[in-house]
Amino acid sequence: MSSFADFQNEIYLNGLGDVLPGLPTDLTRLERLARKRLSPGAHGYVAGSAGTGATARANREAFDRWRIVPRMLRDVTVRDLSVEVLGASLPAPVLLGPVGVLSIVHPDGELAVARAASALNVPMVLSSAASYTIEEVAEAGGEGPRWFQLYWPKDPEIAASFLGRAKAAGYTALVVTLDTPMLGWRPHDLDQAYLPFLRGIGVANYFSDPAFLKGIGGSVGADRSTALLHWAAIFGNPAVTWDDLGFLREHWDGPIVLKGIQHTDDARRAVDAGIDGVIVSNHGGRQVDGAVGALDMLPEVVAAVGERTTVLFDSGIRSGADVVKALALGARAVLVGRPYAYGLGLAGEAGVRHVLRCLMAELDLTMALSGITRPADLTPEFLRGP
Amino acid sequence: MSSFADFQNEIYLNGLGDVLPGLPTDLTRLERLARKRLSPGAHGYVAGSAGTGATARANREAFDRWRIVPRMLRDVTVRDLSVEVLGASLPAPVLLGPVGVLSIVHPDGELAVARAASALNVPMVLSSAASYTIEEVAEAGGEGPRWFQLYWPKDPEIAASFLGRAKAAGYTALVVTLDTPMLGWRPHDLDQAYLPFLRGIGVANYFSDPAFLKGIGGSVGADRSTALLHWAAIFGNPAVTWDDLGFLREHWDGPIVLKGIQHTDDARRAVDAGIDGVIVSNHGGRQVDGAVGALDMLPEVVAAVGERTTVLFDSGIRSGADVVKALALGARAVLVGRPYAYGLGLAGEAGVRHVLRCLMAELDLTMALSGITRPADLTPEFLRGP
Amino acid sequence: MSSFADFQNEIYLNGLGDVLPGLPTDLTRLERLARKRLSPGAHGYVAGSAGTGATARANREAFDRWRIVPRMLRDVTVRDLSVEVLGASLPAPVLLGPVGVLSIVHPDGELAVARAASALNVPMVLSSAASYTIEEVAEAGGEGPRWFQLYWPKDPEIAASFLGRAKAAGYTALVVTLDTPMLGWRPHDLDQAYLPFLRGIGVANYFSDPAFLKGIGGSVGADRSTALLHWAAIFGNPAVTWDDLGFLREHWDGPIVLKGIQHTDDARRAVDAGIDGVIVSNHGGRQVDGAVGALDMLPEVVAAVGERTTVLFDSGIRSGADVVKALALGARAVLVGRPYAYGLGLAGEAGVRHVLRCLMAELDLTMALSGITRPADLTPEFLRGP
Amino acid sequence: MSSFADFQNEIYLNGLGDVLPGLPTDLTRLERLARKRLSPGAHGYVAGSAGTGATARANREAFDRWRIVPRMLRDVTVRDLSVEVLGASLPAPVLLGPVGVLSIVHPDGELAVARAASALNVPMVLSSAASYTIEEVAEAGGEGPRWFQLYWPKDPEIAASFLGRAKAAGYTALVVTLDTPMLGWRPHDLDQAYLPFLRGIGVANYFSDPAFLKGIGGSVGADRSTALLHWAAIFGNPAVTWDDLGFLREHWDGPIVLKGIQHTDDARRAVDAGIDGVIVSNHGGRQVDGAVGALDMLPEVVAAVGERTTVLFDSGIRSGADVVKALALGARAVLVGRPYAYGLGLAGEAGVRHVLRCLMAELDLTMALSGITRPADLTPEFLRGP
C-alpha cells in the first residue's frame, strides 16, 4: 500500500510549526531557481539543450496534448504503486535516469543521489560519465537498487571493463545510451566553451579503469591533459551498429535496455536482437534540435513492441501527471533527469529526496483522484489525445 | 423580463457623478487584483490549482475553442433569463458554487456571500468546509435559495448529521462533490505549508456537529489540535463507491446532484443510480493536474445523459459569454466559483454582488446581442466549435 | 492606373531631407501609440472591446490562418485598384467604416475625417453617432463620396428624419448597423464609467433633429440632462426584425447595406428581403465577447449569397495584406475603423490621410508582388487556408 | 569525410585557455545582439520584414511544424556533406544567399563575406545591389566559388551588361530574383525613411556600369542625386513575364536559377521554360506580408518538379536542424541570409566565418545523431509533419 501521499500531510503539518519545504513543490519551478543559484557553467550544462531548444520544448508540449479524464467513486483507499521492471520490484514506476558530472552542481554529486535513491528504494541509473566511480556510488547507495548506464566507448576493452566493474559492484541492469555517439550542438555550453570533462569532471570511471589507463601508458600523470584528450578520443563510438549488440550480451548477463529509441523500426530491431527493454527518449532534447517530442513517439513504439518487451520512458517528466500520462500510453516506468539534478544542486541529498517525494506523492494523488489504484490499470482510456 | 442589463446603465449614469465601479467589470481581471490585496496564503489557496496549473489553463482554453455566432434582427426587447433547475426557479442560469474557508479572504466569509446571493435571489451552494455553520449561513441568507454541498466524510454519522442539519436549515438541494476524496497536490499551498483547516478555518460545521464531537469525546478542547487531527482523519472518504449512493437518498429527500463528473460512463452510472443531476466539473483544476478542460467533456456528457437528467456546468466560468457557451452546449445552468471569492476578498458582500451583477448583465447582453431571449433557445447552432 | 505605391517613394525621398513619417507605417503599431497619447477615456472607448476582448483577438487570429501565395513573372506595371461598389466607383476597395463620437480623440472629429477621405476620394461612412451633424460633415467632405450609417432608433420619425437629411446632404448609400440594438458589455468604458454620449458627445445628429426635439418638447434646454436621457431611451431599437426592412426602403431610394451579418441564414434572409448588400462584421469585437472571428464567417457568407449581392467586410483590417485576404475570400471591398480613428487622434486630418495612404500603398504593393493587378483577379486560389 | 563537427571540439578546447567564441553559437540569438550593436537604420534594413512581420514569423513557424525522428545504431563515423548543385560540388548543402548593401553593417561589406565564403569553399551568391562591384567581390573571393544574383532592371542593356561582367569575373551560376519587381512595404525602413540606395549604398554595380552610365549621360556627377534617381527608375522591372526568360539564356550560358518561386504552377512553368533550378523563397518575408511560410510550399514544389529540376530553399534557415528539414523535404541545398549578415555586422569576416562554421557543424552533428551520413539519404521518412 502506497504512503507516498503522506508527504502532503507531512508538509502541511510542518507548516503548523512554521517549517516550510526547502524547495518548490511544483518541480517545474526548480529550473528558474537553479539558474539563480548555480554557476552559469553548471546551470548551462544541466538546463541547456541542443540548438535552439526546440526539442526540449517539444518534449513538454507533447505532454500538454494528452489530458487525463478522471473517474469517480472508485475505492481508492489502498493504492499500490509498485511495478515489476525487468525482474525487479520498484516501489513506484519511477527511476532516476542517468545524469553525468553531477559534482558540477554539488560536491557530493552522485554519492548524494545514491543515498537519496537508496533511502526511497528507487533505482538509480548511474552514468558512465559520473563524477564518482562505479564502486564509490555503489558503496554510497548501500542496499539500494542500482543500474548502470553505458556510453559505449571506442575501446572495447574499456567497455568490457566497465561492465565487469558494474556487475561486481552490484548493478543489476544495464542501460545503453544509443543517442550519444558524440555530443550534440549545445549553445549553452559552447557559448561558455565549457565542457566539464575537459576540466577533469565526469571522468572518474575512466581514470580509475585499468583498460583506460593501459591506453595512456598505465597512469594519469600530474599533467592530466594527455589523459583528458585520450578520454575525448574514446568517449563516443559512432561506428557501433545493430550488429554489435552481441558484445553487450557477452559481457553482461543481466537485463539490457537500449536508451534513445524513437522510431518503431529501431524498437523492433532492438527486440529482434533479444534486447530486454527499450527506453523511448531523446535525451531530454540535448542531442538533436528540432526533433519530435519523445512522448509523441511513445504510443507507436508501444504499439510496435509493447507486447514483446518492456518499454520505459524518459524525456520531459516533470510531474506526477506526466508519469500518469506516460504510463497510460504504455510505459512500464519512467526515468526522471533534470528535476533531481536541480534538487541536488539546490539542496544536496535532501534536494534529491524532496524531488522524489514530491513526484511520487503527486503521482499517488493523481492516480487516486483519477480513480486508479495500480499502475497496471492505467490505460489509454484514461486520456484524451491530440 | 430580465433587467440584468440595467446594471450597465446604472454604471454609466453613476459616472456622471464621478462614481466608478469599485471593482473591474471584466471578471478575469479580479485575480491579479486579488494577488495584490490578499495575503499570500489566502490568495494561494483561492487562485492556486493542482500541480503546474495545466488543468486550470485547459479549462479556459476549452472556452476559447467555442465561438458564438450572433444572429440579427430578432426582437430581443424582452428577455427572460430564468430557468427551472431541479424543481426550483432561478432568476438566471447561474449559481454560486461551493467554495470553502471563505473567511480567509474576508472576515464575513460565507455570511456575506449568503447576503449577496439572497439579495439577487441566486442560489448559493454552501460548502461543507465553510467558515460559518450551516445554520449561521442559512440565517444570513434569509429568504434566499440555498443548496448544501457535501464532502462525504469517513464517518457516516457525520454525513447523516450534516444532511439532517442542512434539511432543517432550509437547504433545498444537495450537491455531493466526488472529486475530492483527498486534496490534490497544490503547490501554491504546499510551498507555504498553508492549509486553512489545520489552522481552524473551514471546520465550523464539523466542530459544531454532535456526530463529529462524539468522535473526539464530546467537545473541542482548549487545545484544538486533537480536534483538527480528527478532522483531517475523517474529512475525505476515498472508499466511497457507486454502491454507496443509497446512503444519500436515505438521508436526503430533495434533489441530489453529483459534482465532479467528467466521463460519460460516470454520468450514465449516476443517472442509472437515480441521481437527479450531474455537474460536469474538475473542481476548477484544483484536484488533478494535466486533466482535460471541463468544457471539453460537457458535450459528450450532455449527449449521453442530457435527456435523462439535469446537467450543470462548473470550472472556468468567468464571463457572460462563457455562460452562453456552456448553455449552448447543453448545461441547464452554471456554477461560478473563484470570481465571487475574489469579489468577496476585495469588497465583501458588495464585491460578491458586483461579481454577480456583472456576470448576469453580461449574460443578458450577450444573449440579446446574439438574438436570444431565453436560455432554452441556446443550442449548439449558436456556436462554432473546434 | 494606381499610384498608391508612390507613397512609398515619397517617404523614402523625404528621408533624404530628414523628414520622417509622423506616424508608424505599420498600422498595427498605432494602438500602442494612441494608448500613450490619448486620454484614458478616449483610448478605452476606441480601443476597447466587449468583455475579455476575445472577439477582437479572434478577428486578428482569423487573418493569420489565411496566407497569401504570391505568383511570379506577371506584368504588374499597371495596376487598377478601383472597384465598383453598389453603383459607385471607388479608387480602391476600401471605405472608412462608421465610427462615432470622434471628437473624443480630436476636436475636428468627423470633419477632419471627411476632409481626408475626400482628398483621396475614399467613401466615408458617417456614423449616426457622430460628433458633428450629417450636414456639417457633408460640407466638410465637399465633392468626396459619402455614405450614411444608421443606428435604427426606437422612434421611427427620427429614423425617417435621419434618412431624409442624409439624402438631402448627398449621402449616396445607406449602411444599417444590426448588431447594436444596445451597447455591448465593454469593461474599458465601464471601469471608467465613461460613455461619451452621456457627456453630450456623439449626439449632434439627434440634438439637431426636428423629430428628436419634438420628443423632448421642442428644444434642448440649458440643462441637457433631459435630452441626454431621452437620447439613451431612443438610441437603440431591440424590437426591429426582418419584417421591418420595408421601412428603410420606404425612406431611402439608394442602395441599402446591412452591417453586422455573421450567419449565412441572416445573409440569405437579407438578400431575400431585397437588400443591396451585406457587411460581414462583428463590430470590431465591440458587441459580443467570445464570438467567432468575422473573417472566419466570410467564406460561408460569400458562398451563400455572393452571387446575388454585394458582400463587404469589416472587423480586423489592419494592413494591405488583410485587404488582399478579405478580397480573395470574396469581399468586394472592406471597411477600416480603429486605424483611422487612431490616426485622427494622433495627428488629425493628416493622421487619417496617413492611415489611408499607408493602407492603400501596402495594398497596391501586396497585390503587385502577388502577381495581381486588379481586385477582381483576387480569388481563393491566391490563399492557403486553415 | 566531413570535419565540420570539429568546430565543436575546437571551441571546447579553446575554452581551456579561456578563449570563448566571439559570437553566440545559437544563430537565432544573433538578431537580438545585432539590434544592440548596429545602427537603427542598418538593423532595421536587415532584420525588418514586410508589413507586420507575419511572413517572417510564418517562415519560422513552418520549421516548427516538421520534426526530426532520429535513428540509432548506424555507423556515422564518416560523413560526407558534399552535394552536387548545378554541376558544381559544394562542401555542404549550404550557400550564402544574396544580401545587398552589406556595407551598412560593416565597412568591408561583401568583400568580407567573399573572403569568409572562399575560406570555406562555400558559394557566395553576390547581390546586384551589393556595396562593392562584381569585380571587386570576385577579386576578394579569389578561388572561391561564386554565383551572381540579378535584380532584373528595366533597361535590358544594363541587364546584359551585368551578366557579361559576372561571366567575365568568374561567377558560374545565375540567380534571378523574381519576387522584387519593386520593394515591399517595410515599416522598419519606412518609419526611419531609410533606403540605403538613395544614400548611395548598394549601387556600386550600377554606377560602375557602362550601360547604366550611358543612361545618365556618361558619368555620375559630383551631385549624385540624378544618378540615384535614375537608379530608382530602372532598378526593378515589374513588366517582366515568363516570355522574357529567353533574354537570360541569350546572355548567360551557365546554369540559371529562379529565386522566389512559391506556387507549383510557377515552378512547373519555370521548368517548362528550360530553367535549371528554382529557389523556393519568399525573400525572408521581406516582400509580401501575410504570405505563406516558404517551407510550407517546399513539399509541393518538390512533388511537382523535383524530378525534373534542382530545387533549392531559402527563407528562415537559422540552424543545422533547419537545413536537415529542408533537405528531407526535397531541397538539394539551402541559402542562408540574415544570420551571416548579422555575423558580418557583429564581427566582420570572422563573424561570417563563425556563422558558417556553426551552421555546418550543427548540420554535421544533427545528421550524424539522426543516423545520416550523406545529404542524399535525408528523406521525408526522417520527419514527422503537421
Side-chain angles (χ1 to χ4, degrees), chain A residues 29 102 270:
Chain A
R29 295 190 198 156
L102 282 171

Side-chain angles (χ1 to χ4, degrees), chain A residues 19-31:
Chain A
V19 176
L20 303 185
L23 294 176
T25 57
D26 170 358
L27 303 181
T28 65
R29 295 190 198 156
L30 294 173
E31 184 160 324

Side-chain angles (χ1 to χ4, degrees), chain A residues 2-79:
Chain A
S2 167
S3 59
F4 295 118
D6 292 348
F7 187 41
Q8 185 191 38
N9 298 330
E10 184 182 323
I11 290 174
Y12 284 132
L13 288 171
N14 282 342
L16 297 178
D18 288 328
V19 176
L20 303 185
L23 294 176
T25 57
D26 170 358
L27 303 181
T28 65
R29 295 190 198 156
L30 294 173
E31 184 160 324
R32 176 182 297 254
L33 205 59
R35 182 157 37 191
K36 281 188 205 156
R37 300 225 202 122
L38 300 186
S39 73
H43 177 266
Y45 185 80
V46 176
S49 299
T52 63
T55 304
R57 285 191 297 278
N59 282 341
R60 294 296 304 148
E61 291 163 3
F63 280 99
D64 274 347
R65 281 191 285 271
W66 292 96
R67 296 281 170 178
I68 300 165
V69 186
R71 303 298 301 273
M72 298 297 122
L73 287 178
R74 299 169 166 222
D75 183 347
V76 292
T77 314
V78 180
R79 282 96 61 196

Side-chain angles (χ1 to χ4, degrees), chain B residues 2-11 20-30 81 92 94 96 116 120 122 317-324 336 339-340 343 349-367, chain C residues 50-52 184-188 190-191 289:
Chain B
S2 167
S3 60
F4 293 119
D6 292 348
F7 187 42
Q8 183 191 40
N9 298 330
E10 186 183 321
I11 290 173
L20 303 186
L23 294 177
T25 58
D26 169 358
L27 302 181
T28 64
R29 295 189 198 157
L30 293 173
L81 268 60
V94 171
L96 292 181
L120 295 162
V122 168
I317 295 285
R318 295 290 178 276
S319 74
D322 295 341
V323 182
V324 164
V336 62
Y340 85 78
E349 180 187 336
V352 179
R353 244 186 359 249
H354 170 89
V355 166
L356 276 173
R357 297 187 74 190
C358 284
L359 187 68
M360 301 204 296
E362 194 181 6
L363 170 60
D364 190 6
L365 289 169
T366 304
M367 283 176 51
Chain C
T52 62
W185 183 258
R186 298 180 187 168
H188 283 88
L190 289 161
D191 284 1
D289 190 25

Side-chain angles (χ1 to χ4, degrees), chain A residues 5 7-9 11-16 18-21 23-26 28-29 60 64 66-77 79 319 321 325 357-359 361-362 365-366 368-370 381 384, chain B residues 51-52 54-55 58 61 152 178-195 198-199 229 238-242 245 258 260-263 265-266 287-293 297 300:
Chain A
F7 187 41
Q8 185 191 38
N9 298 330
I11 290 174
Y12 284 132
L13 288 171
N14 282 342
L16 297 178
D18 288 328
V19 176
L20 303 185
L23 294 176
T25 57
D26 170 358
T28 65
R29 295 190 198 156
R60 294 296 304 148
D64 274 347
W66 292 96
R67 296 281 170 178
I68 300 165
V69 186
R71 303 298 301 273
M72 298 297 122
L73 287 178
R74 299 169 166 222
D75 183 347
V76 292
T77 314
R79 282 96 61 196
S319 74
K325 293 176 185 178
R357 295 187 75 190
C358 285
L359 187 68
E362 194 181 5
L365 289 169
T366 304
L369 295 170
S370 301
E381 275 79 49
R384 280 291 150 123
Chain B
T52 62
T55 304
E61 291 163 2
W152 199 320
L178 305 182
D179 56 27
T180 314
M182 60 203 75
L183 292 180
W185 183 257
R186 299 180 186 167
H188 283 88
D189 299 338
L190 289 162
D191 285 0
Q192 305 186 67
Y194 174 77
L195 191 65
L198 295 187
R199 287 152 204 254
L229 289 177
V240 171
T241 71
W242 295 100
L245 293 178
L258 297 185
I261 296 291
Q262 300 179 60
H263 195 285
D265 286 353
D266 286 352
Q287 287 293 92
V288 175
D289 190 25
V292 67
M297 303 311 290
E300 295 176 38

Side-chain angles (χ1 to χ4, degrees), chain C residues 154-176:
Chain C
K154 274 211 193 66
D155 183 340
E157 288 189 48
I158 300 176
S161 175
F162 274 17
L163 299 189
R165 290 168 64 189
K167 205 161 28 171
Y171 294 77
T172 58
L174 176 65
V175 171
V176 182

